[in-house]
């Protein structure tokens, strides 16, 4: 009954298909999986797409700020003040570079999802 309703069909008069009757169901594709309906492949969640675009824009701004902070730390490191200051700047550089790498990975993932919306956006809703 569930599959019949899912396909948009109505069950028989008894509420379910008759026992002797074979039920036509979706045919399996060549790789053994059920083919996606064309309507489902086209349905993209516009809210999710907009959220991803906003996050991508936020990341781009954060990446630019982080790169500026790295450049500032590198310039400060060029002018020696003290050993403690050099150690602090080296730690600061490592933290910024680590954070930059993480943000770049997230930005790349979002960019790929936005380029191939049929794959990523439909699978996220399920």
């Amino acid at each position: 009954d569930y599959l019949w309703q899912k396909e948009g069909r109505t069950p028989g008069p008894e509420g379910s298909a008759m026992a002797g009757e074979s039920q036509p169901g979706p045919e399996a594709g060549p790789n053994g999986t059920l083919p996606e309906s064309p309507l489902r492949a086209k349905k993209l969640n516009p809210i999710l797409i907009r959220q991803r675009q906003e996050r991508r824009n936020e990341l781009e701004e954060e990446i630019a700020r982080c790169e500026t902070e790295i450049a500032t730390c590198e310039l400060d490191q060029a002018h020696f003040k003290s050993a403690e200051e050099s150690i602090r700047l080296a730690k600061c550089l490592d933290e910024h570079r680590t954070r930059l790498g993480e943000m770049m990975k997230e930005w790349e993932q979002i960019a790929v999802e936005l380029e191939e919306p049929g794959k990523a956006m439909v699978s996220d809703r399920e």
Side-chain angles (χ1 to χ4, degrees):
D1 289 340
Y2 170 77
L3 292 175
W4 279 75
Q5 287 178 357
K6 188 174 178 182
E7 292 176 8
R9 300 178 186 167
T10 57
E14 301 164 3
S16 64
M18 298 179 78
E21 210 176 288
S22 66
Q23 296 179 2
E27 304 264 338
N31 59 0
T33 61
L34 296 176
E36 268 193 10
S37 69
L39 293 175
R40 185 170 182 108
K42 290 182 184 179
K43 284 186 182 179
L44 300 177
N45 189 341
I47 295 171
L48 187 59
I49 292 172
R50 189 176 66 242
Q51 288 174 344
R52 298 277 165 90
Q53 289 170 341
E54 290 173 0
R55 179 61 182 152
R56 180 187 59 190
N57 293 338
E58 290 173 6
L59 281 170
E60 288 171 354
E61 292 174 7
E62 289 179 33
I63 287 170
R65 277 194 298 270
C66 190
E67 288 174 341
T68 303
E69 291 171 0
I70 288 172
T72 303
C73 287
E74 288 174 344
L75 286 175
D76 288 345
Q77 207 172 27
H79 304 289
F80 181 78
K81 294 177 186 169
S82 68
E84 293 85 19
E85 181 68 13
S86 295
I87 292 170
R88 187 189 69 77
L89 288 172
K91 286 181 182 178
C92 182
L93 273 171
D94 285 340
E95 290 172 5
H96 288 307
R97 287 180 179 151
T98 301
R99 197 172 103 225
L100 179 64
E102 292 169 358
M103 286 188 294
M104 291 295 286
K105 285 180 186 177
E106 184 179 355
W107 181 87
E108 288 173 7
Q109 180 183 4
I110 291 173
V112 168
E113 289 175 357
L114 288 173
E115 286 176 10
E116 301 172 359
K119 275 186 174 178
M121 299 302 167
V122 173
S123 64
D124 285 348
R125 292 188 300 146
E126 295 177 354

